[in-house]
Amino acid sequence: MYFFATPTAILLFFFQAGWTLKLPSYIKPCKMSDPKLDECVVKHGLAAVPKFINGDPKYRVPRLEPLDITELKVRQGTKQVGLNMILKNCKIYGIKSTKFIEARTNLPGKHIEWDFKIPRIEILSDYEVDGQVLILPITGKGKANVTLTNLEITYKYDWVYENKNGKSFMNFTSSELLFDTGRTYFDLQNLFNGDKFLGSNMNRFLNENWKDVTKELGPAVGQAFSDVFRLLLTRIAAQVPFEEIYLS
């Protein structure tokens, strides 16, 4: 009798049995005693971003370009804009241009903060929208292109140590993502059942009032990025001992 197992199943078996992994070859560790530890983290992080984008099955890291998001919701209620918009089957492009800007590492306090900038991301999706803009109703269902520029992201996280088989692993206890954007552009196709005149004018209005709409869209996109950061960190930290990440 023969048994067959997928690579993921084999990896899970080894991990549960006490096997550990070293850092991927494209991530260079930094020394805890380095007086320029934060600079080291940024330098090595910048070099690792292009590798992470393509995913790494060995560490259970998914491909990130494009980033697939099932659903983003916008519920905006102001005097000018009252929208219920759902973006479905989203593909987010532009993460490959992420720049690692700054790190603040507090190992004794088990707290780390990272700053990133992304020049532009483009969200291609299906959409459904209904609501009211000024005195005009808005309704539609079709394809959407939403572009956000000059994203600034700060990701903060805390952890405790968990001992497994004589080695320490980072077990994340909390995380927070702060998210800000520059200009946002909207292109919603097939508004008002394909009425080109009404659709064109509504898209123009949305782009003129992008700040109001982005107040709700921004946090939704930010949460999606936060989930990705936490996924990457937890999957690496669950398999690579702390001592391999920050050398003594």
Side-chain angles (χ1 to χ4, degrees):
M1 181 179 294
Y2 296 91
F3 295 91
F4 297 92
T6 65
T8 300
I10 294 172
L11 177 60
L12 182 61
F13 169 78
F14 283 152
F15 178 63
Q16 291 175 338
W19 286 54
T20 60
L21 297 174
K22 292 185 177 295
L23 275 177
S25 59
Y26 48 83
I27 301 180
K28 304 299 181 184
C30 295
K31 290 187 176 181
M32 291 187 286
S33 59
D34 189 341
K36 296 184 177 180
L37 175 60
D38 289 335
E39 292 181 22
C40 176
V41 169
V42 172
K43 178 182 178 181
H44 294 172
L46 274 171
V49 168
K51 302 294 185 180
F52 264 127
I53 295 302
N54 294 322
D56 191 332
K58 182 178 180 180
Y59 295 85
R60 298 183 292 144
V61 173
R63 183 177 178 86
L64 302 179
E65 182 78 17
L67 175 63
D68 292 317
I69 301 294
T70 302
E71 186 175 275
L72 296 172
K73 292 184 178 181
V74 178
R75 301 194 185 280
Q76 179 65 39
T78 66
K79 290 182 178 180
Q80 283 192 315
V81 181
L83 289 179
N84 291 318
M85 183 163 63
I86 300 176
L87 304 179
K88 297 181 178 180
N89 307 316
C90 305
K91 290 190 177 296
I92 301 180
Y93 294 86
I95 297 177
K96 64 182 179 182
S97 299
T98 299
K99 301 298 182 184
F100 196 169
I101 303 300
E102 190 173 345
R104 292 173 292 281
T105 308
N106 181 358
L107 296 180
K110 305 180 187 67
H111 178 79
I112 286 176
E113 299 183 5
W114 292 337
D115 296 337
F116 301 90
K117 287 187 178 181
I118 307 177
R120 170 191 177 101
I121 66 166
E122 188 174 19
I123 305 172
L124 303 181
S125 71
D126 301 315
Y127 83 92
E128 294 181 19
V129 66
D130 67 81
Q132 184 170 305
V133 178
L134 291 181
I135 60 173
L136 300 176
I138 176 173
T139 182
K141 182 178 181 180
K143 298 294 182 181
N145 183 328
V146 180
T147 300
L148 296 89
T149 63
N150 299 322
L151 284 77
E152 296 185 357
I153 297 171
T154 295
Y155 188 68
K156 307 177 182 182
Y157 62 95
D158 301 276
W159 74 92
V160 295
Y161 293 111
E162 183 176 346
N163 188 278
K164 298 178 183 177
N165 301 302
K167 295 183 179 292
S168 295
F169 292 82
M170 299 170 76
N171 183 8
F172 297 99
T173 56
S174 64
S175 62
E176 178 186 12
L177 186 139
L178 306 178
F179 183 90
D180 194 17
T181 70
R183 186 75 161 83
T184 305
Y185 300 88
F186 298 91
D187 181 11
L188 306 182
Q189 300 178 20
N190 201 47
L191 283 169
F192 304 104
N193 293 319
D195 186 307
K196 292 186 178 180
F197 177 77
L198 292 177
S200 177
N201 279 283
M202 183 55 68
N203 272 301
R204 184 172 68 249
F205 182 87
L206 291 174
N207 283 297
E208 289 173 351
N209 293 273
W210 62 271
K211 287 185 179 179
D212 288 324
V213 182
T214 309
K215 284 179 182 177
E216 288 293 321
L217 179 62
V221 175
Q223 183 59 51
F225 279 109
S226 180
D227 292 343
V228 169
F229 276 109
R230 191 171 181 87
L231 173 71
L232 296 178
L233 287 171
T234 54
R235 290 190 172 178
I236 293 292
Q239 301 172 83
V240 181
F242 178 82
E243 295 84 357
E244 298 281 348
I245 300 174
Y246 292 98
L247 304 178
S248 59

